[in-house]
Amino acid sequence: MFIDSHCHLNYKGLVEQEREVLARARANGVQGMLNISTRESEWDAVIGLAEREPAVWASVGIHPHEADQHGDMTSAKLVEKARHPDVIGIGETGLDYFYNYSDREQQQACFRQHIVAARESGLPIIVHTRDAEEDTARIMREEMEQGAYSGVIHCFTASADFARIALDLGLYISLSGIVTFKNAKDLQEIAQTIPDDRLLIETDSPFLAPVPHRGRTCEPAFVSDTARFLAELKNIEIESVAAQTTSNFFRLFSKAA
Ligand SMILES: [Zn+2]
Ligand SMILES: [Zn+2]
């Protein structure tokens, strides 16, 4: 049994074939999916799907790309929405200095609101970070000093140093299909150093289809291909990758358990 810890089922490419996507996931052993929101206007749709589907959960959050459009986002608003029984995480949030679609200071302010919401709700944050390791680490550290919170670095592509910082803060690391790419040697090395009890897997679908599906629309069913790759990389059985990442998921996202 696999859990896809991060997917966007309401995005174009997946939303049009929702039934088939969920059926293929289940047929492939994917028994749980965390459907991630990226802007306030999609919260109700993301939560609505979780209400209809038993093993689909929801998150509420604002993607760093969308921070400029949500200048009024507060931790109180996030906490209020997170009271819903199907909302199990806060995010995705974080910093993206690769695209810089939103002002950096606005991204940082929005990120901090999410951490406050995570602390207050007791739910983990789902962190997106790209080309922004230094500021992401600094904010996570500063906020941890204000009071403990839990979370995961999703679609991890950062450095070994950043992985160490996140792990030392008690956070989890989630690997997407990127780890299966031929040119991802550095990431594959880091993957082998992540403690077994801190590792999650995800698709980030509809993006980033793993080998052997590259170029196709990614979907939650493909999380098993990333698990298979990791099993080969770590020289263990795929069943242990499945069991370990599933129990890690429920330990972190304990509201789903
Ligand atoms: Zn992301
Ligand atoms: Zn995402």
Side-chain angles (χ1 to χ4, degrees):
M1 158 171 169
F2 305 101
I3 304 280
D4 184 354
S5 73
H6 190 115
C7 56
H8 299 280
L9 294 169
N10 61 319
Y11 275 25
K12 229 175 105 213
L14 298 179
V15 71
E16 307 86 344
Q17 39 162 349
E18 181 186 295
R19 302 238 126 259
E20 295 85 344
V21 165
L22 293 174
R24 283 196 294 269
R26 281 168 189 146
N28 234 17
V30 182
Q31 300 197 14
M33 289 155 259
L34 176 46
N35 193 21
I36 302 288
S37 65
T38 55
R39 55 181 87 91
E40 190 177 5
S41 60
E42 68 189 10
W43 289 358
D44 287 336
V46 168
I47 292 172
L49 180 62
E51 284 174 340
R52 292 195 301 280
E53 295 292 332
V56 176
W57 302 283
S59 75
V60 289
I62 307 300
H63 193 285
H65 290 344
E66 309 290 335
D68 278 354
Q69 305 302 317
H70 296 80
D72 58 348
M73 185 49 57
T74 60
S75 58
K77 216 172 197 178
L78 290 159
V79 169
E80 170 65 29
K81 205 68 181 175
R83 288 213 181 93
H84 189 286
D86 291 313
V87 174
I88 64 166
I90 305 288
E92 58 181 299
T93 177
L95 305 175
D96 194 314
Y97 296 171
F98 181 77
Y99 287 108
N100 283 310
Y101 286 157
S102 281
D103 173 74
R104 290 183 179 190
E105 287 193 0
Q106 182 57 38
Q107 292 186 41
Q108 295 180 21
C110 194
F111 184 24
R112 287 188 194 269
Q113 289 297 315
H114 283 72
I115 298 179
V116 172
R119 200 185 287 127
E120 282 178 11
S121 64
L123 299 180
I125 43 163
I126 299 129
V127 179
H128 169 113
T129 182
R130 189 156 181 206
D131 278 15
E133 285 188 20
E134 223 173 283
D135 282 351
T136 306
R138 178 177 54 78
I139 289 172
M140 291 191 318
R141 261 201 198 116
E142 287 173 3
E143 290 293 334
M144 197 61 85
E145 283 161 14
Q146 302 299 310
Y149 61 90
S150 66
V152 55
I153 310 297
H154 109 86
C155 194
F156 185 90
T157 54
S159 69
D161 285 346
F162 184 83
R164 180 40 56 203
I165 291 166
L167 291 166
D168 286 348
L169 288 171
L171 304 182
Y172 289 64
I173 291 179
S174 178
L175 295 173
S176 70
I178 291 179
V179 75
T180 71
F181 297 177
K182 277 194 182 63
N183 61 1
K185 296 288 174 234
D186 290 352
L187 181 57
Q188 289 159 11
E189 262 177 45
I190 295 169
Q192 298 183 68
T193 70
I194 301 170
D196 291 340
D197 61 354
R198 296 288 195 85
L199 179 67
L200 299 183
I201 50 176
E202 66 172 81
T203 58
D204 206 9
S205 51
F207 314 109
L208 302 167
V211 173
H213 307 289
R214 286 199 72 177
R216 290 174 58 191
T217 300
C218 188
E219 58 180 74
F222 299 169
V223 80
S224 60
D225 296 284
T226 300
R228 188 168 303 109
F229 181 89
L230 287 170
E232 280 165 23
L233 187 72
K234 292 153 75 99
N235 205 14
I236 53 176
E237 298 296 317
I238 186 168
E239 289 77 11
S240 16
V241 174
Q244 190 74 66
T245 53
T246 296
S247 83
N248 294 345
F249 178 87
F250 286 113
R251 191 182 324 112
L252 178 63
F253 293 100
S254 53
K255 193 171 163 185

